[in-house]
Amino acid sequence: RMYTFGMEEEYFLFDAKTRHAVRRASKNFLALAQKQLGDRVMTEMLQSQLEVATPPCATMDEARGHLRHYRQTLAKAGAEHKLGLAAIGTFPLAFWPEQLVTRKARYGAIMDDLQMIGYRNMLCGMHVHVAVPDVDTRINLIMRLTPYLPLLLALSTSSPFWQGHLTGLVGYRLAAYDELPRTGLPELFRTNEDYREFISALTWAKIIPDASYIWWAIRPSLNNPTIELRVADSCTRLEDAIGIAALFRCLVRALDRDRALNAGFDRVGRAITQENKWHAQRYGIAATFVEPFSRSPLTLPQWLDQVIDFIAEDIEALDCAGEIRHLHAIVAHGTSADRQIEIFGKAKSAGRRGLTALKDVVDWAASETQAICGPKLRT
């Protein structure tokens, strides 16, 4: 099988002068964006956010080309309307009481249910869909892929700020997102029958209209024959996004070809994974994790090396060795969150205080979002 895949990225829109997230989306900007990108660009629940989605891709380079085009097109269109664009998990100068909801029936119903929590959903993620046509296989794969979610999250962290404050976490986005119902790690369902029973109970009780209101960190897609990774922050650097997508794609293939891998994942393993998820949010690539099966401690570089060893066949088959190598660059030089914290610290050391220091972070994120030649990693 090809294991075709698609990627979705969410971006923040900000005022180019003040660097604050916009309150109300510019209709002229949206019209221009949709004229240039068509249905590949969509509004999000809050007007300060946009989403793009690639078509199904057969190669990593194909996805890279689409996302590069979307980022550069939107950044250029934004500049024409005095707007900036940033791929970032939380926006340093976004404030939830100022947010306005996009007018759309689905969003209205969600906001009616979520209330204040909905307005606090100033969060941007990256989603990766990998094709797995058999529905029974999808549910079982999701259970067996769950242990790797903290690893994928740690590599993607780009959300150290919240409402003008340094949070002390490198991945604050999921701390805020987990306020919503039906988020976090998926339940321990081994078969499609288990999953369907759960969905049927919630829809019959009119708690949710359909399965698209399940917002787990990994889930079966309602509209596509895919497994959807949702744990990752929106990656500021395009090459980080492509590398993480490649890792997830290889993991799906590896576990699909060997159904015995992680078949023993149980409640203890899930509880350990929950703890690992917290460590990924708090410390990112500097975290110490617990291996869910051996129960032994390991660092992120050790964990990444272990995973790369057992997906070697899949890396070759899917032709993504370069993308997987880039993951070592993330480990060596830091994630977007690490860079943001460093830039903020330098601005404060130079005598810039409070919200003013955060403008440098916003400017860096906007520049990296549309960078043509991949990441500007530190040496």
Side-chain angles (χ1 to χ4, degrees), residues 58-61 249-250 313-323:
T59 68
M60 301 314 303
D61 205 44
R249 190 179 174 212
C250 288
E313 175 185 325
D314 311 284
I315 294 169
E316 183 178 357
L318 298 176
D319 191 25
C320 52
E323 288 78 13

Side-chain angles (χ1 to χ4, degrees), residues 105-107 109-110 113 181-183 199 202 207-216 219 222:
R106 175 183 170 94
Y107 296 150
I110 290 173
D113 184 34
R182 302 176 297 281
T183 54
I199 298 299
L202 268 58
I207 290 171
I208 59 173
D210 57 54
S212 71
Y213 288 75
I214 303 296
W215 298 311
W216 294 330
R219 69 179 183 182
L222 176 64

Side-chain angles (χ1 to χ4, degrees), residues 305-369:
D305 286 344
Q306 282 184 14
V307 169
I308 290 173
D309 282 347
F310 90 74
I311 62 171
E313 175 185 325
D314 311 284
I315 294 169
E316 183 178 357
L318 298 176
D319 191 25
C320 52
E323 288 78 13
I324 297 298
R325 272 196 304 274
H326 177 77
L327 301 177
H328 292 295
I330 298 176
V331 173
H333 301 292
T335 65
S336 169
D338 297 318
R339 185 74 176 121
Q340 290 175 50
I341 293 166
E342 181 185 308
I343 290 167
F344 181 65
K346 285 181 178 177
K348 288 209 304 180
S349 296
R352 304 178 67 198
R353 293 287 177 248
L355 302 185
T356 305
L358 288 172
K359 291 182 178 180
D360 286 4
V361 177
V362 172
D363 289 345
W364 174 83
S367 174
E368 287 296 315
T369 296

Side-chain angles (χ1 to χ4, degrees), residues 141 143-154 229 231 247-248 251-252 255 261-262 265 273 291-293 303 306-307 310-311:
L141 271 173
M143 180 199 73
R144 294 188 292 119
L145 285 161
T146 296
Y148 306 109
L149 295 179
L151 174 64
L152 293 156
L153 171 61
L229 178 75
V231 79
L247 178 59
F248 179 61
L251 282 166
V252 171
L255 270 64
L261 282 173
N262 298 356
F265 189 61
T273 302
E291 208 285 326
F293 298 97
W303 196 5
Q306 282 184 14
V307 169
F310 90 74
I311 62 171

Side-chain angles (χ1 to χ4, degrees), residues 250-299:
C250 288
L251 282 166
V252 171
R253 186 182 187 277
L255 270 64
D256 193 26
R257 66 179 168 80
D258 185 350
R259 304 294 171 85
L261 282 173
N262 298 356
F265 189 61
D266 58 11
R267 287 178 295 178
V268 176
R270 187 181 183 278
I272 289 171
T273 302
Q274 187 71 47
E275 192 66 26
N276 285 343
K277 173 176 168 284
W278 160 248
H279 273 242
Q281 291 171 231
R282 173 64 181 86
Y283 301 104
I285 58 173
T288 296
F289 299 100
V290 175
E291 208 285 326
F293 298 97
S294 70
R295 319 298 199 228
S296 57
L298 75 173
T299 65

